[in-house]
Amino acid sequence: MNILGVNLSNNASICIMKNGVIDLYVESERINRKKYSNSIKSLLHLITCDIDVIAVADAYWDKPSKELQSVIELRKVIKMFPNARVCDYRHLHHKCHAACAWYRSGFDSAVAIVVDANGSKNDKIETETIFDLPSWDIVHKKYFDEDDVGIGKEFELCCIRHGWHHMDAGKVMGKASYGLSDCYRVQKRWETRALELANLSEKNLILVGGCFLNCTVNYMLKKKLGRKIYAEPISTDGGTSIGAAYLAQAEHS
């Protein structure tokens, strides 16, 4: 069974999975040279095999133009493979993140902590989720609130205050080590929150979502907790195409 995972969010990407094994993964920015690209148009020519299942991931967008772009690009993919089944995981952004990491972690049992600035929107926009695995029970869920926008959004706002691209959170982590007051405050707040989340369980830890592209936080957790930790390398939204493919594989195997 050939599965095409598609991420229509930031770090737009595709994943081709053949019989449960990843055969291809690529992000749009590697082809079109546009950083954080959210369009998969430049990747479609790379799909050269038949596709049985199309697994779709996305995140919440507050821009109607981006929502329209996502719909148009998804229709192009479906038109390329009209006989393929479509598995729509656009409402399960954090689960796609977690699946990407869980199936690559090698753990038999763990909790997956997902933290980012912007997940899926049902009634509210998810910012934190903890899954108990392999049951997929939700241990913890936090949503965006005007009084508590979430740590991912705090990093974005800090970037904007310093005149950087809103997704350049790595600069906040770097500047924090030099004591830049605003960056230091946000970084320390994330270290405290990450430890709180990790302490909600005593199981092996899987760390995924954009906020865990933070080596200072990940090393702090390893040092303080002494537990087995898998930090997903593709923790950006790009990895959700892999997660969607894994979810479809589990659903149809």
Side-chain angles (χ1 to χ4, degrees):
M1 180 169 61
N2 293 342
I3 299 173
L4 173 65
V6 177
N7 165 44
L8 301 169
S9 183
N10 292 311
N11 304 100
S13 64
I14 62 170
C15 167
I16 296 177
M17 181 177 289
K18 296 182 178 180
N19 297 321
V21 178
I22 297 173
D23 185 69
L24 172 71
Y25 170 78
V26 63
E27 296 182 15
S28 289
E29 69 173 44
R30 300 297 181 185
I31 306 299
N32 63 23
R33 315 310 294 173
K34 296 178 181 179
K35 198 171 184 180
Y36 312 125
S37 175
N38 54 37
S39 172
I40 62 167
K41 287 189 296 185
S42 62
L43 303 179
L44 299 183
H45 72 282
L46 299 175
I47 309 170
T48 58
C49 61
D50 291 333
I51 297 297
D52 302 300
V53 178
I54 300 169
V56 190
D58 203 346
Y60 170 71
W61 293 94
D62 58 4
K63 297 179 181 179
S65 59
K66 178 56 183 73
E67 289 186 358
L68 178 60
Q69 175 192 317
S70 295
V71 170
I72 291 173
E73 294 189 359
L74 179 56
R75 284 179 178 172
K76 287 182 179 178
V77 175
I78 294 174
K79 188 175 181 179
M80 289 174 64
F81 306 102
N83 296 322
R85 289 169 289 180
V86 178
C87 295
D88 192 343
Y89 302 116
R90 286 177 289 181
H91 62 299
L92 297 172
H93 182 77
H94 278 191
K95 189 171 184 178
C96 288
H97 267 308
C100 173
W102 163 241
Y103 289 106
R104 288 150 50 88
S105 69
F107 292 151
D108 294 322
S109 178
V111 291
I113 306 177
V114 186
V115 184
D116 59 13
N118 180 29
S120 297
K121 182 179 181 181
N122 293 306
D123 293 330
K124 298 181 180 180
I125 303 169
E126 57 188 358
T127 58
E128 297 176 356
T129 310
I130 300 179
F131 297 95
D132 184 83
L133 296 162
S135 70
W136 287 104
D137 291 337
I138 295 177
V139 175
H140 164 79
K141 176 77 83 171
K142 183 176 179 296
Y143 297 95
F144 175 88
D145 186 275
E146 292 292 344
D147 296 324
D148 185 359
V149 297
I151 195 66
K153 189 63 68 177
E154 285 193 35
F155 270 90
E156 287 188 357
L157 294 173
C158 185
C159 288
I160 293 170
R161 286 194 292 270
H162 287 279
W164 307 324
H165 189 283
H166 74 281
M167 293 183 68
D168 280 340
K171 292 181 179 179
V172 179
M173 179 183 68
K175 289 292 186 180
S177 66
Y178 289 93
L180 187 63
S181 59
D182 190 25
C183 296
Y184 182 83
R185 177 187 62 80
V186 174
Q187 174 67 26
K188 288 300 177 182
R189 177 169 166 77
W190 175 214
E191 291 175 22
T192 298
R193 183 58 180 160
L195 188 59
E196 291 173 351
L197 293 172
N199 280 326
L200 292 177
S201 172
E202 296 181 354
K203 299 176 73 172
N204 296 332
L205 291 176
I206 293 172
L207 310 177
V208 65
C211 289
F212 282 112
L213 290 172
N214 191 306
C215 56
T216 302
V217 163
N218 297 351
Y219 179 69
M220 177 272 295
L221 293 176
K222 180 67 176 177
K223 185 169 62 174
K224 289 196 173 185
L225 299 176
R227 277 188 260 162
K228 290 183 179 179
I229 292 177
Y230 175 79
E232 172 55 49
I234 314 177
S235 274
T236 64
D237 285 0
T240 61
S241 66
I242 297 175
Y246 274 124
L247 290 175
Q249 174 71 24
E251 184 177 337
H252 294 285
S253 60

